[in-house]
Amino acid sequence: MRGSRLLALAALFCLVVAGLFFLPGITLDDDALDLLPGEAVQGDLRLLQRLGLIDRVFLTLTVKEEGLTAAQRLQRLQQSALVVGEAFADSGAFTEVIYRLPQGYEFGLYRKLWPHIPALLDKQDLAALAQRTSNSGLAEYLAAAFNLLNSPAGIAMKRQVQQDPLGTAGLALAKLRHLQAEYAMVVQDGFFISADRRSCLIMAESRTSLTDSNSALQVEKVVQDALALVAEEVVGGVIGSLPHTLANARAIQRDLRILLPIASLLLLLLLLVSLRDGRAFVVLGIPFLAAPFAVGVVDLVFGRISALALGFGIVLLGIAVDFSVHIYLALRRRQQSTAQVMAGLRRPLLLATLTTSGVFVVLFFSKVASHQQMALLALVGVVLAVSMSWVIIPLVRPPRHPSPLDRGWSLKPPAGKKRALVLLGWLLLMVLGGVSWPALHYNGDLRVLDAPDEEVLAQEEQFHRAWGRPGDQAFVVASAPSLAAALEKNSAVYAFLQEQQVSRFQSLAPLLPGPLTQQAHFEAWQQFWDQRPDFRHRFAEAARKQGFNPQGFQPFFEWLDHPFSPLTAADLLAGPLAPLARNMIRAPGPQAKGADGEFLVVTTVTMEEGLYDLLLAFSEQQEGLYLLANHKWRQQVEQLLRRDILTLSLAAGLIILLIVSLALRRVRPVVGALAPVGSSLASMAIYSLVSGGELNMMHLLMGIMVIGLSVDYGIFMVYRGREIASLQAISICACSSLIGFGVLAFAAHPALHALGITVLVGIGAAWPTALLVTPILAGEQS
């Protein structure tokens, strides 16, 4: 027997050493996507990632008011934007940096579009052109052209007037307004300047995911290094995923640095005060010995461990110490040999370990990555802590004499009226809990778990002051195996928006319609001129009246006779608008397959009342169209999380019921053991209703865990309730859980706070229920 114990101790020692050895190489990382169900990550989120919408950085450069003239402010802004933009481009951290359009981009775009304008003009454009080709329209435009040629700028404009006396190119260039995002800006010298001329905008797309804290830190350094190069009078502010990812990661890390030592110190004080023995250090030390190996296993399985899951390690301290406390106190008051005491503990400890582990096993099948990490960390940690407690605690030889604190621990089930009052109070709690649950609302919006600090909020407010508030946006994504097909679907989206008279949207379709749409435009163009056989004669007469030689407009008529010339994506992507166009087109990677192997073209729509339902219906009717909207996204995530939590809760409840039923077999002990579970769930429902009536993902996650924790109190009470050591152990374990979870109630990060406050309420109700109600329901006589 002694040899087997030494062998077990050696094996546990090797696990501890292995955990400590691998601990320095652990990859600590946070990714906001770990809070999302896997199905969401594989669906709309994959499109958002491919489109780069999640990984964009919006940097605002603002010049401070220090007596500068308007010209000086503009000069400082443009110089700073040039320096930062070049630094971004040279850093290699971004796939695309938009900080300035090429100089002379207007003329470059004119030259690029001119051969293809007949393929770009739609019915509205032809209606405008019809007015210009009327006799009055010809007179008006040719008079304006004559005045222009006789102005100081006339020499430079001669060629353009000869080619386009009716301003046809202007109809096409007017479509540029649909490339501009819904921000109040002007393009000056190629730079994106705010309406008050005090800010300049730079947009960049990160090569790595900005929801990942390690990647975000690297991008942050690039941004800070670039901002260090700007003019003294210019300050920069960033919005987007980057500051939110960093704020959440830092909030969690700050909570861990503060709360983990506090929880450890409070647990140590609890054990020292309750046990009155220096061996309390050993009791508390067992979870710390188990933690490195558990963290190492999580890192090995997932390749990293999130700070949020590591924050759950605080909770693990409060859970894992329970088993060593039960063994220690049972051995301290032993009236039998150590072997006999341990034999008596074997059944309740095994049952408690199974119920606690069962919850974590169920949680491991969650579709949310952070849940899986937490579950594996807790499962390995608890199993290892139980094994260590079983082997190590008997070796420390707890003192065999009663403690002064033992006095007053002789608890008998209440009798008479007290018994009736206890049962009535518990039944009232259950009724109130049952009434509260249906009134609760599940909020699947992950923004309730977001923790932006004051600086992040201030930068967002500054951004909106400079550029306006674009409102809630939706993204209509056209997907197809070929770019031509994707552009054609994107043109259908544009036609739908025009039909619905939607004015606030960003689309590439007006400047780059699909091939079939361009062909239809050109046919309508030809039909337009076929219906005006006398146009050339009327034009010549109008030109002579304005003092022109009609032969001077020969380039214009040669252009009218030019055959169909479609504009391709390659043409646009090789022109001055290439950076803007690349933001709206995504080609598949070389190894991409399935849905990832398709071309994507995106249209951004600012939502108006009733527009969401119209867009959703339209996208569902068209194959290859996907609507990405906050409302739809939140609804999808909420449904997935609700289904996940419901399934897991049901599975956890059934597993615990099965384990307890098989172990206790009789109805009354089973009901008594499960009574603390009912109290904890009811109290959490009542608290949630009183505090706002909303549940989020962390509340429901911890609700599952409370089921596994609170049933342990009932199990030990049913098995060993009359023993002073058991009463002490249940109370100390409840206090340790309240400390381990409770300190998280003071966390600044909403996710950790929700995690802590839920269990604080649940365990707070389960503890007295186990001591007072369980003995009555289990059938103990007073």
Side-chain angles (χ1 to χ4, degrees):
M1 183 71 176
R2 181 177 178 85
S4 61
R5 187 172 292 276
L6 290 176
L7 184 62
L9 186 63
L12 293 174
F13 177 77
C14 291
L15 292 179
V16 172
V17 171
L20 294 173
F21 177 77
F22 289 106
L23 195 60
I26 297 299
T27 303
L28 183 62
D29 190 17
D30 275 300
D31 195 325
L33 304 186
D34 287 343
L35 292 173
L36 296 175
E39 293 179 41
V41 175
Q42 295 167 6
D44 289 358
L45 186 60
R46 185 182 295 275
L47 288 176
L48 289 170
Q49 287 177 309
R50 281 197 60 198
L51 292 167
L53 298 173
I54 297 176
D55 300 321
R56 288 183 185 173
V57 173
F58 297 87
L59 173 63
T60 299
L61 298 176
T62 302
V63 63
K64 294 181 287 187
E65 290 289 343
E66 292 184 355
L68 299 176
T69 65
Q72 289 173 328
R73 285 199 301 267
L74 184 60
Q75 181 188 34
R76 301 292 197 280
L77 280 177
Q78 292 180 342
Q79 288 176 344
S80 298
L82 194 62
V83 169
V84 172
E86 290 175 348
F88 277 13
D90 294 339
S91 68
F94 302 102
T95 57
E96 191 72 60
V97 181
I98 304 175
Y99 63 98
R100 186 184 188 182
L101 296 178
Q103 289 183 327
Y105 75 94
E106 300 95 334
F107 295 104
L109 183 62
Y110 171 81
R111 290 192 296 269
K112 180 67 67 175
L113 294 181
W114 177 248
H116 314 288
I117 284 178
L120 305 183
L121 301 186
D122 55 26
K123 293 180 180 179
Q124 294 179 347
D125 299 321
L126 293 181
L129 190 58
Q131 192 281 325
R132 299 183 187 188
T133 56
S134 66
N135 291 334
S136 60
L138 286 173
E140 177 184 348
Y141 271 84
L142 288 173
F146 186 84
N147 293 332
L148 176 63
L149 291 176
N150 286 280
S151 69
I155 297 177
M157 299 298 295
K158 179 180 178 181
R159 180 62 178 172
Q160 183 175 338
V161 170
Q162 285 182 304
Q163 284 186 328
D164 189 19
L166 299 182
T168 313
L171 296 173
L173 292 175
K175 300 176 185 295
L176 280 172
R177 69 184 186 276
H178 289 304
L179 283 184
Q180 180 177 325
E182 284 297 317
Y183 296 121
M185 67 168 65
V186 293
V187 180
Q188 189 161 346
D189 298 327
F191 294 96
F192 304 100
I193 307 296
S194 62
D196 62 5
R197 303 299 196 276
R198 301 180 191 279
S199 299
C200 186
L201 181 63
I202 297 174
M203 296 168 282
E205 183 180 330
S206 172
R207 289 187 183 277
T208 53
S209 174
L210 292 184
T211 60
D212 180 280
S213 60
N214 286 337
S215 299
L217 282 171
Q218 296 172 2
V219 174
E220 182 192 38
K221 186 179 186 308
V222 173
V223 173
Q224 290 176 341
D225 290 345
L227 288 177
L229 305 175
V230 303
E232 184 179 353
E233 302 87 355
V234 175
V235 295
V238 175
I239 71 164
S241 303
L242 176 65
H244 282 265
T245 296
L246 294 173
N248 279 279
R250 286 165 179 162
I252 293 174
Q253 292 166 8
R254 184 167 55 250
D255 286 335
L256 290 180
R257 286 195 301 268
I258 297 173
L259 298 179
L260 184 57
I262 291 177
S264 303
L265 179 61
L266 291 176
L267 282 172
L268 179 59
L269 290 175
L270 170 68
L271 295 177
L272 286 174
V273 170
S274 58
L275 302 181
R276 296 291 181 90
D277 185 13
R279 294 172 179 84
F281 286 98
V282 178
V283 175
L284 179 60
I286 286 177
F288 284 99
L289 292 175
F293 184 77
V295 171
V297 171
V298 175
D299 184 75
L300 179 65
V301 173
F302 292 96
R304 59 189 174 86
I305 182 169
S306 71
L308 188 61
L310 201 58
F312 186 72
I314 299 177
V315 175
L316 183 59
L317 292 178
I319 299 174
V321 78
D322 291 0
F323 302 96
S324 55
V325 167
H326 275 285
I327 296 173
Y328 181 90
L329 289 176
L331 288 173
R332 192 182 67 175
R333 292 193 55 84
R334 63 188 182 275
Q335 303 297 323
Q336 302 170 312
S337 67
T338 299
Q340 290 174 318
V341 173
M342 296 299 290
L345 285 171
R346 182 178 293 112
R347 189 174 180 84
L349 275 177
L350 178 61
L351 186 56
T353 302
L354 286 175
T355 54
T356 302
S357 301
V359 170
F360 294 131
V361 169
V362 168
L363 198 58
F364 187 70
F365 290 94
S366 169
K367 295 181 175 62
V368 180
S370 63
H371 292 182
Q372 296 171 0
Q373 290 191 18
M374 292 178 184
L376 184 58
L377 178 68
L379 179 62
V380 176
V382 166
V383 171
L384 188 55
V386 172
S387 303
M388 288 181 171
S389 300
W390 189 262
V391 174
I392 296 175
I393 296 299
L395 298 179
V396 303
R397 299 184 180 277
R400 197 169 177 174
H401 54 81
S403 165
L405 294 180
D406 289 349
R407 291 192 296 270
W409 277 99
S410 180
L411 181 67
K412 293 183 179 181
K417 292 183 178 180
K418 291 183 179 180
R419 181 186 184 96
L421 287 175
V422 168
L423 284 177
L424 182 62
W426 181 73
L427 289 174
L428 180 61
L429 176 66
M430 298 301 294
V431 170
L432 291 176
V435 172
S436 299
W437 275 116
L440 297 179
H441 169 67
Y442 179 73
N443 185 358
D445 190 349
L446 294 180
R447 288 179 294 185
V448 300
L449 301 179
D450 192 20
D453 54 30
E454 292 183 2
E455 182 180 355
V456 172
L457 296 175
Q459 288 182 355
E460 290 180 346
E461 184 58 33
Q462 169 63 27
F463 183 90
H464 293 312
R465 281 199 301 268
W467 308 105
R469 300 179 186 273
D472 197 16
Q473 294 181 321
F475 306 95
V476 185
V477 183
S479 175
S482 67
L483 180 55
L487 290 172
E488 200 62 56
K489 292 179 181 179
N490 192 53
S491 293
V493 174
Y494 172 67
F496 175 78
L497 294 175
Q498 292 288 88
E499 179 184 329
Q500 300 299 324
Q501 298 182 341
V502 178
S503 58
R504 301 174 64 192
F505 63 90
Q506 184 183 25
S507 174
L508 198 61
L511 276 178
L512 186 60
L516 296 180
T517 302
Q518 291 193 46
Q519 179 67 48
H521 286 169
F522 185 75
E523 291 174 359
W525 168 268
Q526 287 184 314
Q527 185 179 8
F528 176 88
W529 294 111
D530 289 343
Q531 293 172 350
R532 291 162 176 78
D534 62 339
F535 169 74
R536 299 185 184 227
H537 174 73
R538 290 188 297 107
F539 182 90
E541 288 296 323
R544 291 191 186 96
K545 289 180 180 179
Q546 297 299 330
F548 286 111
N549 180 358
Q551 296 300 319
F553 293 99
Q554 189 61 29
F556 172 61
F557 290 102
E558 291 176 355
W559 174 72
L560 288 181
D561 295 331
H562 198 273
F564 175 59
S565 177
L567 179 68
T568 66
D571 294 328
L572 201 62
L573 292 174
L577 296 181
L580 294 176
R582 281 194 294 266
N583 262 351
M584 307 170 81
I585 296 177
R586 282 294 186 272
Q591 305 299 324
K593 297 180 180 180
D596 289 340
E598 297 199 336
F599 288 84
L600 304 179
V601 184
V602 62
T603 296
T604 304
V605 185
T606 299
M607 300 304 292
E608 302 170 0
E609 186 176 356
L611 183 55
Y612 170 78
D613 293 332
L614 292 174
L615 282 174
L616 182 61
F618 176 74
S619 62
E620 290 177 345
Q621 293 170 1
Q622 306 290 323
E623 184 180 357
L625 285 186
Y626 304 94
L627 176 64
L628 307 179
N630 285 336
H631 176 72
K632 178 188 175 186
W633 168 251
R634 287 196 298 267
Q635 190 177 55
Q636 179 193 24
V637 171
E638 180 174 337
Q639 289 173 349
L640 290 172
L641 288 175
R642 189 192 298 271
R643 186 179 66 191
D644 196 22
I645 293 296
L646 182 63
T647 303
L648 297 178
S649 300
L650 182 61
L654 290 175
I655 286 177
I656 287 177
L657 179 61
L658 179 63
I659 293 174
V660 173
S661 299
L662 290 176
L664 301 179
R665 298 187 180 181
R666 291 183 294 123
V667 174
R668 292 196 66 176
V670 170
V671 174
L674 296 177
V677 176
S679 295
S680 60
L681 294 177
S683 62
M684 287 190 295
I686 295 169
Y687 172 81
S688 298
L689 182 63
V690 171
S691 62
E694 278 199 347
L695 296 176
N696 60 48
M697 178 177 63
M698 297 306 292
H699 286 116
L700 297 182
L701 164 68
M702 296 317 301
I704 294 176
M705 295 191 58
V706 166
I707 294 174
L709 293 174
S710 56
V711 74
D712 291 349
Y713 305 148
I715 289 171
F716 276 101
M717 201 66 196
V718 168
Y719 271 101
R720 304 172 62 85
R722 291 185 178 275
E723 299 182 12
I724 292 177
S726 181
L727 298 175
Q728 288 178 328
I730 290 172
S731 297
I732 293 173
C733 291
C735 290
S736 69
S737 295
L738 289 175
I739 290 173
F741 286 93
V743 294
L744 294 181
F746 300 96
H749 194 277
L752 293 180
H753 172 77
L755 186 151
I757 198 71
T758 303
V759 182
L760 191 63
V761 173
I763 298 300
W767 174 19
T769 300
L771 295 181
L772 299 175
V773 179
T774 293
I776 299 175
L777 296 177
E780 290 193 20
Q781 301 300 316
S782 56

